[in-house]
Amino acid sequence: MEVLRNVSLSSEKDKWYWFDDKQFGFSVKSVKKSLTAERETSHPPNFIWCKWLPIKYNIMAWRGNLDRLPTRVNLRRKNVDIPSVLCPLYNDYEETVDHLFTTCSVALQVWSVFSVWCNIPLLFFFEFKDILESHKLIKSGKKAEKIIYRLGIIACWCIWKGRNDTIFNQRKCSSSDIIREFKSRGYAWVKNRTSCKYIIWADWCKYPLYML
């Protein structure tokens, strides 16, 4: 009865309302706005989606930015019964999103080669979000920034894929395997999804921005 006292009735037709946007109703934009508002202030306010990368690459990076990837630490937080929370690549530290992509020995080697390959200052990351901002170090124009940003996401995907192969396929992943894979995947997507249709594999392997 106490609950019903605060209910006011009217002759209007019943309607469903989306709590965060009563004026326009439910939308993906309003959901994104709501999720962004609840994120910690340490995260960047927006994630830039890349149209010429597969959607699974974007979703992986987006989830990494929100610390929503199923790393071992995150699984343990959800009370999933797992034998260990140590990083599966080296078993040296707990596997968090930030550790796997920024401070794991494999990731450090990947980003070191990435920096030399792209002819940019040596990349040192502390959080996953730092990877998504690394393209800002490029001073060669917007097109170069876009390519570096996309290559960073591809590298993250290859690290995540290598981690999963180690766990589920018992196939030990090395930094050299990841490096070869992100170079080849990057070449395929840039060549087939951008205006850079005539890039050459040999030149790409030396420097991915040679055609700009």
Side-chain angles (χ1 to χ4, degrees):
M1 295 299 294
E2 290 293 330
V3 175
L4 293 177
R5 286 180 182 177
N6 297 322
V7 175
S8 59
L9 302 177
S10 71
S11 59
E12 294 183 7
K13 186 178 180 180
D14 292 340
K15 296 179 181 179
W16 286 98
Y17 286 103
W18 173 240
F19 180 80
D20 289 325
D21 194 344
K22 293 183 178 180
Q23 181 178 1
F24 298 104
F26 176 85
S27 67
V28 174
K29 181 179 179 181
S30 65
V31 173
K32 180 180 177 182
K33 182 179 179 181
S34 178
L35 291 174
T36 302
E38 293 179 1
R39 279 197 279 176
E40 296 178 359
T41 56
S42 60
H43 288 288
N46 293 304
F47 173 76
I48 303 173
W49 293 75
C50 178
K51 294 181 179 179
W52 54 261
L53 287 181
I55 188 66
K56 61 184 180 182
Y57 287 47
N58 284 284
I59 291 176
M60 181 279 305
W62 175 66
R63 293 184 69 187
N65 190 40
L66 292 169
D67 193 18
R68 295 294 185 269
L69 286 173
T71 59
R72 288 180 165 178
V73 168
N74 282 344
L75 291 173
R76 179 64 62 84
R77 288 173 182 164
K78 294 181 179 296
N79 298 318
V80 176
D81 185 17
I82 54 177
S84 171
V85 294
L86 294 180
C87 176
L89 299 182
Y90 266 85
N91 288 311
D92 48 358
Y93 293 97
E94 291 186 346
E95 190 200 28
T96 63
V97 168
D98 290 336
H99 168 75
L100 178 63
F101 292 97
T102 67
T103 58
C104 174
S105 298
V106 171
L108 288 174
Q109 295 173 51
V110 169
W111 297 123
S112 177
V113 172
F114 186 97
S115 303
V116 174
W117 181 45
C118 295
N119 193 26
I120 58 178
L122 189 60
L123 297 172
F124 292 100
F125 303 124
F126 298 97
E127 298 177 280
F128 188 90
K129 74 183 184 70
D130 296 335
I131 300 173
L132 301 179
E133 296 179 345
S134 60
H135 63 286
K136 296 178 181 178
L137 299 172
I138 307 302
K139 306 299 180 183
S140 303
K142 293 294 183 181
K143 195 165 187 177
E145 287 187 17
K146 289 181 179 179
I147 292 177
I148 293 296
Y149 177 76
R150 274 65 173 178
L151 290 177
I153 293 179
I154 294 173
C156 287
W157 168 264
C158 292
I159 292 173
W160 183 246
K161 180 176 178 292
R163 175 261 190 197
N164 290 336
D165 282 342
T166 299
I167 293 177
F168 302 111
N169 300 324
Q170 289 75 51
R171 188 173 66 189
K172 192 62 178 177
C173 172
S174 68
S175 58
S176 57
D177 294 332
I178 294 174
I179 290 164
R180 283 194 296 269
E181 185 167 5
F182 82 66
K183 283 185 177 181
S184 60
R185 286 178 181 267
Y187 174 79
W189 292 113
V190 170
K191 186 177 180 66
N192 293 291
R193 294 290 188 93
T194 72
S195 59
C196 306
K197 304 294 184 183
Y198 304 103
I199 59 175
I200 300 172
W201 171 248
D203 294 328
W204 169 267
C205 289
K206 295 177 183 177
Y207 178 53
L209 305 179
Y210 82 93
M211 64 289 192
L212 301 182

